Amino acid sequence: MQLVTIDDVRAAATRIRGDVLRTPLIPAAWAGALWLKPENLQAIGAFKVRGAFNAIARLDPELRARGVVAYSSGNHAQAVAYAAARYGIAAHIVMPEETPRVKIDATRGHGAEVVLCGAGRREAVAAEVVERTGGVLVPPFDHPDIIAGQGTAGLEIAEDLPEVEHVFIPVSGGGLASGVGTAIRALCPGATVHGVEPELAGDTAESLRLGHRVDWSIEDRNRTIADGLRSQPSELTFAHLQRVLDDVITVTEDEIRRAVRDLAQRAHLVSEPSGAVAMAGYRRVAPAGPAVALVSGGNIETALLRDILAA
Amino acid sequence: MQLVTIDDVRAAATRIRGDVLRTPLIPAAWAGALWLKPENLQAIGAFKVRGAFNAIARLDPELRARGVVAYSSGNHAQAVAYAAARYGIAAHIVMPEETPRVKIDATRGHGAEVVLCGAGRREAVAAEVVERTGGVLVPPFDHPDIIAGQGTAGLEIAEDLPEVEHVFIPVSGGGLASGVGTAIRALCPGATVHGVEPELAGDTAESLRLGHRVDWSIEDRNRTIADGLRSQPSELTFAHLQRVLDDVITVTEDEIRRAVRDLAQRAHLVSEPSGAVAMAGYRRVAPAGPAVALVSGGNIETALLRDILAA
């Protein structure tokens, strides 16, 4: 299997420059020798714009003109809608009927056409939409262009803190961890790359331990508050993760909530639970050397944020 | 009177590089052609580190070794304590007895010695501490080195968005607005520089209208929720403001609360009320061209943040 290389990540960085925010590393001395990479400050509130812009930029212009299709109930939906709008092309986003209204409206707000579908039907419906519109499917993680795009965050970490010794990255479908891990492995070979998962959706930790992908039921994975971390790696991302991760740490729901609270109170960053797990993983390991935790997103319901801040 | 020049601001930028975060401009397309300058992400949660580092860096090393003294119940206290710690020198911070415990602890947390004093006595007590310790007073705004230091935020705005047409800056003692205004006037002469004040502490708006400083009682100024904007310009900062501001907009308490809410929900930034007034001013003016609102700080009590988010 062909894996994404650091050259692919560098090419992606050149391609998406001007379209995504180059986030700084924010010192978080209150937590140790820690820096935060605040991807929650991206236009749609999550790192997903990196992969979406790279994938769309890579399309043949004639093909691209037919528009793009994606299925997602979360940040990938908004990222593809946002990137498509910037390119002036149509976007059809397939979302489950039970998706919160606010996320459907946000996706429409970027000019995308939302196609609602029944539970478990989104991939099938997306295929129908591709058939009907001639648009190109932009997958959430299972594609080299997506992995390379997400990896640009790792390139920036290596540029800004070359002496980094520990990097903490959330793992779900594994696109972000694959890309960032690839960049860190290449540019900071001495650094340890930690994936972080909720204990309640710890399929990747188990899969890496066993050396092959295991399947956790969606009912199990849905137990975690970290709603952006309920996917599982594909064959492609799993092959990357086996190569670029040193370990996968799992964190409890309480640790995730505490991380959301600390990020708000100490770092002045609003994070969603999925966006705070890397911070929680840093706390768990508590390494001595310079470390980076990637804050992957900030799209949290206000009621949940208030609840977490009440503790 | 000698005013701070763009060369002073440039020199300050060189001096403090490496000590303060170079904050990016964050696109806030949800609010229009707006970019946010998130100074709430600085180490102590506010822009004040810029002036503090510049002032301390400028001291003669022999003098500096005697330590520094400051009076403040707010972000300046922590900024001076933090900068002094980085320089490895002593810091004495005079704080009113009624200062919230959490702020006293945070200041001590940076290694400073906190000297508590009665209401209205802080300048006198600070003078005593200077006399006793031989330390140097670092004033919160009434000094060219402080103004030049705060102005580095304006230099960065001009570098990152040279086509900016409107800049919104909170005004209290006026150090930040003086410095940022100086940089914008010099580098983006076509831009309009708006100071923003709470209506309930609108002394500078009135002073500029009348052409001379007016004094509002501290009881009046204390009415606003924006506890960092209750100071009044000095002769030095007022002279700068007369020269570099195009106007001062006043905003209501409700507008300030809405801005705190929007910054959390849409920009994923935790701001304190004082830190959100520039955003509120932007909303009030609603200009068409590219605009920047400076988010000056994020040190808000959690209970207040929860209350504002409940609306």
Side-chain angles (χ1 to χ4, degrees):
Chain A
M1 189 182 307
Q2 183 106 16
L3 299 191
V4 167
T5 68
I6 183 65
D7 290 337
D8 297 328
V9 178
R10 285 193 202 281
T14 304
R15 214 170 276 131
I16 68 177
R17 185 171 296 149
D19 287 322
V20 308
L21 183 66
R22 196 198 180 293
T23 51
L25 288 182
I26 303 177
W30 49 271
L34 177 67
W35 281 258
L36 301 168
K37 178 79 172 163
E39 290 295 304
N40 59 328
L41 303 182
Q42 294 290 353
I44 59 103
F47 72 93
K48 292 276 188 185
V49 283
R50 295 177 181 269
F53 270 106
N54 190 50
I56 293 177
R58 284 270 286 164
L59 296 175
D60 176 86
E62 217 166 301
L63 192 60
R64 185 165 59 216
R66 295 189 212 155
V68 288
V69 180
Y71 52 86
S72 163
S73 57
N75 293 328
H76 180 60
Q78 290 189 57
V80 172
Y82 175 78
R86 289 273 287 249
Y87 270 93
I89 60 175
H92 288 79
I93 312 289
V94 179
M95 305 181 93
E97 276 155 2
E98 69 272 21
T99 305
R101 189 80 212 171
V102 57
K103 295 199 174 184
I104 294 174
D105 289 346
T107 305
R108 285 195 176 128
H110 295 298
E113 185 164 325
V114 172
V115 181
L116 295 175
C117 72
R121 288 266 306 144
R122 53 194 204 166
E123 298 191 36
V125 171
E128 287 165 27
V129 175
V130 165
E131 180 76 19
R132 174 162 59 81
T133 64
V136 183
L137 185 74
V138 181
F141 53 85
D142 187 26
H143 195 287
D145 294 340
I146 298 289
I147 294 171
Q150 320 301 31
T152 58
L155 197 61
E156 294 170 6
I157 291 170
E159 283 170 4
D160 291 353
L161 193 72
E163 68 272 30
V164 66
E165 293 178 13
H166 294 269
V167 179
F168 295 84
I169 324 164
V171 178
S172 179
L176 178 68
S178 294
V180 170
T182 297
I184 299 296
R185 275 272 165 277
L187 303 174
C188 308
T192 306
V193 183
H194 308 274
V196 190
E197 280 186 317
E199 223 170 73
L200 297 182
D203 55 284
T204 301
E206 186 180 354
S207 296
L208 286 178
R209 207 161 43 237
L210 297 175
H212 62 84
R213 287 192 293 154
V214 296
D215 189 36
W216 284 33
S217 75
I218 184 64
E219 289 72 27
D220 273 1
R221 287 179 274 136
N222 275 353
R223 294 170 303 166
T224 178
I225 194 178
D227 59 350
L229 301 183
R230 294 169 180 165
S231 296
Q232 299 185 132
S234 64
E235 203 185 337
L236 178 69
T237 54
F238 189 67
H240 283 81
L241 297 180
Q242 284 187 302
R243 177 134 168 201
V244 302
L245 293 189
D246 288 283
D247 57 27
V248 175
I249 296 143
T250 57
V251 293
T252 66
E253 300 293 293
D254 274 354
E255 287 172 320
I256 295 170
R257 294 171 73 98
R258 185 190 163 194
V260 170
R261 196 158 56 240
D262 280 351
L263 288 171
Q265 293 177 331
R266 309 299 301 268
H268 311 115
L269 293 171
V270 173
S271 61
E272 58 190 278
S274 309
V277 295
M279 173 74 210
Y282 166 80
R283 292 269 201 205
R284 180 63 82 88
V285 175
V292 170
L294 192 146
V295 181
S296 57
N299 294 318
I300 186 172
E301 301 280 331
T302 300
L304 176 57
L305 177 59
R306 290 189 69 237
D307 181 55
I308 289 175
L309 289 177
Chain B
M1 190 183 308
Q2 183 107 14
L3 300 190
V4 167
T5 68
I6 183 65
D7 289 337
D8 297 328
V9 178
R10 285 193 203 281
T14 304
R15 214 170 277 130
I16 68 177
R17 183 171 298 149
D19 286 321
V20 308
L21 183 65
R22 194 199 182 294
T23 52
L25 287 182
I26 302 177
W30 48 272
L34 176 67
W35 280 259
L36 301 168
K37 179 78 171 163
E39 290 294 304
N40 59 329
L41 302 183
Q42 295 290 354
I44 58 103
F47 73 94
K48 292 275 187 185
V49 283
R50 295 177 181 269
F53 270 106
N54 189 49
I56 293 176
R58 286 269 286 164
L59 294 175
D60 177 85
E62 218 167 299
L63 192 61
R64 186 167 59 216
R66 294 189 214 154
V68 288
V69 180
Y71 51 88
S72 162
S73 57
N75 293 328
H76 180 62
Q78 290 189 58
V80 171
Y82 176 78
R86 289 275 286 249
Y87 271 91
I89 59 175
H92 288 79
I93 311 290
V94 178
M95 305 181 93
E97 276 155 2
E98 69 270 23
T99 306
R101 189 81 213 170
V102 58
K103 294 198 174 182
I104 294 174
D105 289 347
T107 305
R108 285 194 176 129
H110 296 297
E113 186 165 324
V114 171
V115 181
L116 295 175
C117 71
R121 288 265 305 143
R122 53 195 204 165
E123 297 190 35
V125 172
E128 286 166 26
V129 175
V130 165
E131 180 75 20
R132 174 162 59 81
T133 64
V136 183
L137 185 74
V138 181
F141 53 85
D142 188 27
H143 194 287
D145 294 340
I146 299 290
I147 294 172
Q150 319 302 31
T152 58
L155 196 62
E156 294 170 7
I157 292 170
E159 282 169 5
D160 290 353
L161 194 72
E163 68 273 30
V164 66
E165 292 179 13
H166 294 269
V167 179
F168 295 84
I169 324 163
V171 178
S172 179
L176 177 67
S178 295
V180 171
T182 296
I184 299 296
R185 275 270 165 277
L187 303 174
C188 309
T192 306
V193 183
H194 308 275
V196 189
E197 279 186 318
E199 223 170 72
L200 298 182
D203 56 283
T204 302
E206 186 181 352
S207 296
L208 286 177
R209 207 161 45 236
L210 297 175
H212 62 84
R213 287 193 293 155
V214 295
D215 188 36
W216 284 32
S217 75
I218 184 65
E219 290 72 26
D220 274 0
R221 288 178 274 137
N222 276 353
R223 293 171 303 167
T224 178
I225 194 178
D227 59 350
L229 302 182
R230 294 169 180 164
S231 296
Q232 299 186 132
S234 64
E235 203 185 337
L236 178 68
T237 53
F238 189 68
H240 283 81
L241 298 180
Q242 284 187 302
R243 175 131 168 205
V244 303
L245 292 188
D246 288 283
D247 57 27
V248 174
I249 296 143
T250 58
V251 293
T252 66
E253 301 293 293
D254 275 354
E255 288 172 321
I256 295 170
R257 294 172 74 98
R258 183 189 164 194
V260 170
R261 197 159 53 240
D262 281 351
L263 288 171
Q265 292 176 331
R266 309 299 302 268
H268 311 115
L269 293 172
V270 173
S271 61
E272 58 190 278
S274 309
V277 296
M279 174 74 210
Y282 165 80
R283 290 271 201 205
R284 180 62 82 87
V285 175
V292 170
L294 192 146
V295 181
S296 57
N299 293 318
I300 186 171
E301 300 281 331
T302 300
L304 177 58
L305 176 60
R306 289 189 69 239
D307 181 56
I308 290 175
L309 289 176

